[in-house]
């Protein structure tokens, strides 16, 4: 599962390795996000319609008509949404496709058969390291290549007389197995990713298509789904600051004379909690598996037997890392059932709660709500058609950034014919050193990044501290979850900055019904000003859509001109955009383009970039090009915005999916 120019994160990561390697060392590419390169690849046979056996489909309407495989996905999503909607209604939570009120919203399934929507190729990802997991299933090969597609629309609105375009939080990940070379070697497969940048998107697309993406090298294994299907706005969830639910499924691929067939398959390392709770013998079998496979689980490379696995999962945010629904092992297995294990030889886990957290983090729901951004790890960059007020600056999660260092070292080792390091840190860990022959060590976690607090830190054999000047602060108490994650924050009010959290709270868990989880504020630890000021910080409340509150001060004239960014400096805060009352008033009209045009208030926010990330439930938004200095002084920076302030990360507020072209 990166930013400027054509580059993928692979080169960003390897820039850090290059300092200690010969100047001519090969740099394997880890992913490609450049929009122009991806469009060339789509025309060269890598569009979703090509993957699903429908070469002529230009929209989801045509794809639904022409592709049996796509219809399988669409029907399954429809069934899952219908089931969740009925369950929520039975428990007092009604959902609406189109609404002006502060009520629950559900995805409009017409987007999956829309004349204005299509799935755009948003990233190519090199996952050579996935060979470790395939080997456990008896598969041969050299890991995976992933083609990630994101639902998007673009059309000319006759009434408004302008083009409307956006993406939606709905991705399909086409996973391809990579063939091994002679004698089962993966060295050639690794070397195929050593592509020198040319600055020419068309040339890069040709190199990829004839190299690591060559059709004779790869074969479709499965299609993975991650989609936001329910959203509760902050006006309804005033304490949480909003909530959302994400559907996750995997479809196994098989080909025959009749074409491509997709069939739901179990999710990797994701237990079926309901089944385990109702079957004592099955749960004991899972406990026995965990007790027997402690070293592999500690290493992070294991495959749970299929009999324990779920075929569908739904993850929840906000505060996803603290929600029991995203900790399926903790919910299904009591820590006492793992008592007596010998943790003296484990590298990471030091007690039963840490072991359950390691397992939770390896599940689909756990990984996608820890170190993630709005339930995703790779969401890609925008093209020029997207409104300047609806663009993101960075297309990856903090986890993918940290993972890049590990995967770069892994691919480089295989390309050199060496044994790679197979250990995998948890998804909430910061970047670490992975150079061959050097001791493994984490970097300090940056401001607002996850950290381990108190007893939770003692539960792990490997840990990390917060960057100088910050401390690990627990923000959310959840007694249902065994391991507590904090955030690295500054408690010194004199060193506060816009965008830092300022509230603490506690979650009351509704076991089995996470959409009924409740959150209550328990305290405030910063930003105590009672009014708005250019010098003192006010704590903005969660009810305006800022989970855990947000320290805020108004922009000064110097802030507006980005004066603090001179000479390569990167201040903690940046004068970005705030919604303002006009945005708040029109946000429920289901015409997000009108709202965006009124979102012109300047306001300080946390600074972010391709290597500096936003805290949980926030993401890096791009500063519009027409803001003076945006394309010069701060061209490499964005501002941390609450996730659902960006319409491309929410399912509501978009045009009619059946709009006429």
């Amino acid at each position: 599962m990166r930013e400027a120019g054509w580059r993928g994160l692979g080169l960003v990561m390897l820039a850090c390795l290059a300092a200690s390697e010969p100047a001519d060392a090969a740099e394997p590419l880890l992913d490609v996000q450049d929009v122009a390169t991806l469009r060339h690849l789509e025309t060269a046979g890598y569009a979703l319609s090509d993957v699903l056996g429908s070469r002529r489909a230009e929209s989801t309407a045509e794809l639904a008509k022409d592709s049996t495989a796509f219809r399988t996905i669409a029907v399954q999503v429809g069934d899952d949404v219908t089931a969740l909607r009925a369950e929520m209604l039975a428990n007092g939570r009604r959902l609406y496709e189109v609404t002006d009120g502060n009520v629950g919203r559900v995805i409009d399934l017409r987007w999956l058969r829309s004349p204005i929507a299509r799935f755009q190729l948003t990233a190519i990802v090199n996952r050579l390291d996935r060979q470790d997991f395939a080997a456990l299933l008896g598969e041969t090969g050299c890991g995976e290549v992933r083609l990630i597609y994101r639902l998007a629309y673009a059309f000319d609105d006759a009434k408004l007389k302008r083009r409307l375009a956006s993406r939606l939080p709905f991705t399909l990940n086409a996973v391809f197995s990579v063939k091994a070379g002679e004698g089962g070697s993966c060295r050639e497969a690794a070397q195929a990713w050593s592509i020198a940048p040319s600055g020419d998107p068309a040339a890069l697309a040709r190199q990829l298509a004839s190299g690591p993406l060559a059709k004779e090298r790869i074969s479709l294994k499965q299609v993975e789904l991650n989609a936001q299907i329910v959203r509760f706005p902050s006006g309804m969830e005033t304490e949480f600051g909003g909530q959302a639910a994400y559907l996750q499924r995997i479809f196994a691929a098989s080909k025959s004379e009749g074409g491509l067939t997709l069939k739901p398959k179990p999710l990797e390392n994701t237990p079926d909690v309901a089944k385990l709770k109702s079957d004592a013998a099955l749960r004991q079998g899972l406990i026995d598996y965990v007790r027997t496979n402690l070293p592999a689980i500690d290493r992070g490379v294991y495959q749970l037997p299929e009999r324990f696995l779920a075929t569908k999962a739904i993850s929840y945010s906000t505060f996803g890392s603290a929600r029991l629904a995203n900790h399926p092992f903790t919910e299904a297995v009591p820590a006492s059932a793992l008592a007596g294990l010998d943790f003296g030889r484990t590298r990471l886990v030091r007690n039963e709660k840490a072991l359950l957290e390691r397992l939770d983090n390896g599940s689909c729901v756990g990984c996608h709500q820890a170190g993630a951004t709005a339930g995703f790890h790779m969401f890609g960059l925008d093209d020029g058609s997207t409104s300047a007020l609806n663009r993101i600056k960075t297309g990856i999660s903090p986890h993918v950034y940290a993972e890049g260092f590990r995967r770069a070292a892994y691919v480089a080792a295989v390309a050199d014919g060496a044994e790679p390091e197979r250990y995998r840190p948890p998804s909430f860990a910061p970047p670490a050193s992975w150079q061959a022959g050097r001791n493994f060590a984490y970097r300090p976690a940056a401001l607002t990044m996850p950290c381990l607090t108190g007893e939770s830190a003692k539960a792990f054999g490997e840990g990390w501290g917060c960057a100088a000047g910050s401390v690990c602060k627990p923000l959310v108490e959840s007694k249902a979850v065994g391991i507590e994650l904090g955030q690295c924050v500054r408690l010194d009010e004199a060193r506060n900055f816009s965008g830092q959290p300022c509230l603490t709270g506690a979650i009351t868990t509704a076991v089995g019904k996470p959409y009924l989880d409740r959150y209550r504020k328990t305290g405030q630890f910063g930003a105590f000003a009672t009014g708005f000021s250019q010098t003192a910080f006010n704590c903005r409340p969660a009810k305006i859509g800022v989970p855990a509150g947000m320290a805020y001060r108004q922009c000064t004239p110097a802030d507006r001109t980005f004066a603090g960014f001179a000479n390569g400096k990167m201040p903690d805060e940046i004068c970005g955009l705030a919604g303002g009352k006009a945005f708040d008033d029109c946000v429920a009209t289901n015409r997000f383009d009108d709202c965006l045009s009124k979102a012109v208030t300047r306001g300080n926010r946390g600074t972010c970039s391709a290597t500096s990330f936003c805290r949980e439930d926030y993401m890096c938004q791009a500063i519009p090009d027409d803001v003076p200095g945006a394309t010069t002084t701060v061209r490499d920076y964005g501002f941390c915005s609450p996730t659902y302030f960006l319409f491309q990360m929410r399912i509501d507020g978009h045009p009619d999916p059946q709009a006429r072209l």
Side-chain angles (χ1 to χ4, degrees):
M1 288 190 175
R2 285 168 217 244
E3 164 185 71
W6 73 271
R7 71 188 181 191
L9 181 64
L11 296 183
V12 177
M13 294 294 93
L14 283 166
C16 302
L17 296 178
S20 61
E21 301 217 2
D24 58 351
E27 296 182 340
L29 187 63
L30 298 184
D31 63 45
V32 177
Q33 278 193 84
D34 176 63
V35 174
T37 300
L38 297 171
R39 295 296 171 268
H40 282 294
L41 282 167
E42 285 184 299
T43 61
Y46 294 90
L48 182 62
S49 56
D50 297 304
V51 173
L52 299 183
S54 174
R55 285 188 170 274
R56 61 183 179 83
E58 296 293 332
S59 66
T60 58
E62 292 181 1
L63 200 56
K65 179 180 178 181
D66 199 45
S67 170
T68 301
F70 182 76
R71 288 197 298 273
T72 296
I73 296 173
V75 169
Q76 187 64 72
V77 172
D79 290 346
D80 292 338
V81 169
T82 298
L84 182 60
R85 192 173 191 177
E87 180 188 338
M88 286 190 176
L89 179 61
N91 287 280
R93 308 219 78 171
R94 185 182 295 274
L95 302 174
Y96 299 84
E97 284 91 352
V98 179
T99 176
D100 293 339
N102 281 315
V103 294
R105 293 93 190 272
V106 66
I107 187 172
D108 191 332
L109 293 170
R110 294 180 300 161
W111 283 114
L112 300 182
R113 47 181 176 83
S114 168
I116 64 172
R118 64 184 292 264
F119 280 91
Q120 293 179 336
L121 182 61
T122 199
I124 305 287
V125 186
N126 167 10
R127 290 307 307 269
L128 178 77
D129 64 304
R130 288 283 304 170
Q131 65 179 330
D132 296 348
F133 291 86
L136 296 176
L137 297 175
E139 299 174 6
T140 59
C142 299
E144 300 167 354
V145 170
R146 298 181 174 186
L147 276 60
I148 299 178
Y149 300 88
R150 187 167 168 192
L151 185 61
Y153 63 84
F155 72 106
D156 295 316
D157 189 297
K159 183 178 180 180
L160 295 175
K161 296 182 179 179
R162 66 176 184 267
R163 191 163 184 80
L164 301 182
S166 182
R167 300 186 294 171
L168 289 91
F170 192 119
T171 63
L172 293 176
N173 176 14
V175 180
F176 291 81
S177 297
V178 181
K179 294 180 181 178
E182 185 175 347
S185 172
C186 291
R187 189 171 186 179
E188 182 182 353
Q191 292 173 341
W193 289 98
S194 297
I195 300 174
S198 66
D200 181 352
L204 177 58
R206 289 193 297 271
Q207 287 179 287
L208 290 165
S210 62
L213 301 185
K215 299 298 176 68
E216 63 272 16
R217 284 180 178 268
I218 61 176
S219 58
L220 184 64
K221 176 182 180 180
Q222 61 196 37
V223 177
E224 301 175 351
L225 163 74
N226 187 21
Q228 184 188 121
I229 57 173
V230 171
R231 197 178 81 83
F232 297 113
S234 58
M236 179 184 187
E237 295 284 355
T238 56
E239 295 299 307
F240 261 120
Q243 286 202 73
Y246 297 83
L247 172 66
Q248 296 173 318
R249 273 196 178 270
I250 301 177
F251 299 86
S254 61
K255 290 186 178 180
S256 64
E257 292 183 1
L260 176 68
T261 299
L262 294 181
K263 181 180 179 181
K265 65 176 288 188
L267 301 172
E268 183 176 275
N269 291 336
T270 304
D272 187 325
V273 174
K275 187 166 65 173
L276 288 163
K277 283 185 172 182
S278 64
D279 189 333
L282 187 67
R283 182 166 65 171
Q284 186 58 51
L286 175 60
I287 293 169
D288 293 342
Y289 171 85
V290 173
R291 296 183 70 92
T292 304
N293 290 273
L294 176 60
I297 295 168
D298 183 65
R299 189 184 310 117
V301 181
Y302 58 95
Q303 287 281 6
L304 212 64
E306 196 169 296
R307 66 184 182 277
F308 303 125
L309 301 178
T311 55
K312 175 181 71 174
I314 299 176
S315 66
Y316 286 83
S317 69
T318 53
F319 302 116
S321 61
R323 305 287 288 273
L324 180 63
N326 303 325
H327 292 75
F329 287 89
T330 296
E331 183 174 352
V333 177
S336 59
L338 302 175
L341 285 170
D342 181 7
F343 294 101
R345 297 183 180 181
T346 51
R347 174 173 178 171
L348 180 67
V349 299
R350 285 290 186 265
N351 63 25
E352 297 84 2
K353 288 185 178 180
L355 175 56
L356 287 173
E357 176 62 33
R358 178 62 150 166
L359 288 161
D360 286 335
N361 191 246
S363 70
C364 291
V365 289
C367 181
H368 281 262
Q369 288 294 346
T373 299
F376 296 90
H377 285 299
M378 173 64 78
F379 33 92
L381 301 171
D382 299 295
D383 60 27
S385 67
T386 301
S387 165
L389 296 166
N390 188 31
R391 293 179 189 168
I392 56 176
K393 187 66 176 176
T394 303
I396 60 167
S397 70
H399 167 56
V400 174
Y401 174 71
E403 264 279 273
F405 292 91
R406 181 191 68 80
R407 291 198 286 116
Y410 189 108
V411 177
V414 176
D416 289 342
E419 176 68 15
E421 169 62 74
R422 302 183 190 277
Y423 173 75
R424 285 162 166 77
S427 69
F428 48 80
S433 170
W434 292 92
Q435 288 94 329
R438 296 191 181 185
N439 293 331
F440 176 89
Y442 289 110
R443 294 182 181 181
L447 280 171
T448 72
M449 290 294 100
C451 52
L452 292 164
T453 65
E455 292 302 313
S456 295
K458 297 177 183 177
F460 291 92
E462 290 181 347
W464 55 91
C466 292
S470 63
V471 298
C472 190
K473 173 75 175 177
L475 299 184
V476 186
E477 179 187 3
S478 178
K479 293 182 179 179
V481 175
I483 295 296
E484 180 179 70
L485 291 180
Q487 284 187 22
C488 294
V489 300
R490 292 194 184 132
L491 297 181
D492 181 357
E493 191 72 1
R495 301 188 66 207
N496 208 337
F497 62 95
S498 295
Q500 178 168 267
C502 48
L503 300 176
T504 59
I507 290 176
T508 301
T509 298
V511 179
K513 300 174 183 178
Y515 45 85
L516 297 181
D517 287 355
R518 305 316 304 155
Y519 173 91
R520 63 181 177 85
K521 183 178 72 173
T522 57
Q524 181 176 338
F525 62 91
F528 292 107
T530 57
F532 292 112
S533 165
Q534 292 182 352
T535 56
F537 292 94
N538 170 270
C539 184
R540 307 302 296 135
K543 66 182 180 181
I544 67 169
V546 290
M550 183 175 67
Y552 172 75
R553 70 172 179 84
Q554 296 174 315
C555 298
T556 65
D559 293 330
R560 288 176 175 272
T561 60
F562 307 115
F565 287 82
N567 302 317
K569 295 180 180 179
M570 189 189 86
D572 296 323
E573 58 188 11
I574 187 170
C575 187
L577 300 179
K581 188 176 187 303
F583 182 92
D584 296 336
D585 289 345
C586 81
V587 77
T589 63
N590 299 302
R591 302 301 309 196
F592 83 84
D593 50 290
D594 293 329
C595 296
L596 292 178
S597 67
K598 295 169 181 162
V600 294
T601 303
R602 297 289 297 278
N604 273 317
R605 295 286 188 263
T607 308
C608 52
S609 69
T611 58
S612 298
F613 292 83
C614 302
R615 60 186 169 111
E616 185 175 13
D617 301 315
Y618 292 71
M619 69 188 305
C620 195
Q621 185 170 353
I623 298 173
D625 291 347
D626 61 357
V627 173
T631 60
T632 53
T633 309
V634 293
R635 64 182 181 276
D636 294 328
Y637 305 105
F639 61 98
C640 290
S641 182
T643 301
Y644 305 120
F645 275 33
L646 283 96
F647 279 87
Q648 64 165 283
M649 299 307 293
R650 49 194 280 180
I651 54 173
D652 57 315
H654 297 277
D656 182 354
Q658 299 301 311
R660 296 183 179 275
L661 293 171

